[in-house]
Amino acid sequence: MAAMTKLGTTDADIRTALHAKRLRRAKSHPDTLVIDELGLAHARSRIDVAVINGCIHGYEIKSAKDNLDRFATQIDIYRQTLQKLSLVAAPKHVASIMSHAPEWCGVIVAEQGPRGGISFHVLRNAIANPEIDPVMMAHLLWRDEVIELLGQAGYAPKDLRRPRRQLYEMLCEAMSLREITASIRTFMAQRQAWRDRPAHA
């Protein structure tokens, strides 16, 4: 008797296939980081997979087992913090996502075949997010990393003791979005056991 195919995709199914099929090239590039479950806005939300190189491209997975209850809240944070966003969704969610996601978001259908394998079909390619908030994106950097960058930019030690929000604002005055993105990639590559760092660090 043939084995029965699982009824509906799970997050793990799609994530495994996404890494193997869609992100293999990015993962092989030495200047690219691919990070699962990256916290955004000081852990107010997480993006399922983030690809960080010349820009920060998030991939949010909506499997057949998921619902879209938190979708509007997630999109609100993603639009502030990610330079590109691709929504990787089971067929049941596609119509709703296409109706409610901003037009700059990419949409990829994750469809399960009769033997359980996942195939991907791009309905819409992601383009640059025109709504990004550089200050919120800069929150991917830890406070000590922001202080290091501001020190390199010539800020006085007394300025570096200001509240965290002001430090991020100062960084966005001192550096371009491209420079901040490059710094995020560099610091994340350097971090040791960064997942163990408290969210409020």
Side-chain angles (χ1 to χ4, degrees):
M1 184 175 176
M4 291 182 65
T5 300
K6 286 186 292 184
L7 295 176
T9 52
T10 65
D11 180 288
D13 295 331
I14 295 176
R15 186 189 301 265
T16 298
L18 185 68
H19 276 282
K21 297 180 178 180
R22 300 282 306 179
L23 302 180
R24 181 181 295 173
R25 181 178 295 179
K27 292 170 74 172
S28 70
H29 199 287
D31 291 333
T32 299
L33 294 179
V34 179
I35 300 173
D36 285 292
E37 299 293 336
L38 179 65
L40 305 173
H42 290 294
R44 281 170 48 206
S45 185
R46 290 184 181 276
I47 187 74
D48 286 315
V49 184
V51 177
I52 305 174
N53 44 36
C55 80
I56 299 172
H57 188 160
Y59 290 81
E60 176 63 22
I61 296 168
K62 295 298 180 189
S63 74
K65 303 291 188 184
D66 292 328
N67 60 55
L68 299 182
D69 293 349
R70 297 183 300 123
F71 187 62
T73 301
Q74 289 175 312
I75 287 290
D76 188 52
I77 293 177
Y78 297 161
R79 77 168 77 235
Q80 296 178 67
T81 55
L82 298 170
Q83 290 165 294
K84 285 186 177 181
L85 173 64
S86 291
L87 302 160
V88 186
K92 64 181 278 188
H93 296 308
V94 168
S96 182
I97 284 174
M98 291 290 282
S99 298
H100 295 96
E103 290 188 2
W104 51 267
C105 296
V107 180
I108 302 172
V109 185
E111 196 153 13
Q112 189 174 43
R115 296 186 178 181
I118 306 282
S119 59
F120 297 104
H121 309 284
V122 178
L123 295 184
R124 191 167 73 194
N125 285 309
I127 61 174
N129 171 13
E131 306 174 59
I132 193 163
D133 180 342
V135 174
M136 289 302 298
M137 192 191 81
H139 278 61
L140 286 168
L141 293 164
W142 293 335
R143 181 188 178 97
D144 55 357
E145 294 166 346
V146 175
I147 287 172
E148 180 179 333
L149 291 170
L150 289 173
Q152 292 171 359
Y155 281 82
K158 65 180 180 62
D159 292 326
L160 305 182
R161 292 191 291 270
R162 293 185 182 182
R164 185 174 65 186
R165 173 77 188 190
Q166 289 186 28
L167 294 177
Y168 288 116
E169 291 172 349
M170 289 156 55
L171 185 69
C172 291
E173 292 173 359
M175 298 176 68
S176 68
L177 196 64
R178 181 181 294 273
E179 290 170 332
I180 293 171
T181 303
S183 296
I184 289 170
R185 191 202 63 77
T186 298
F187 277 116
M188 285 191 173
Q190 293 172 351
R191 290 175 186 174
Q192 300 297 316
W194 64 275
R195 289 192 181 280
D196 298 328
R197 184 78 171 252
H200 62 270

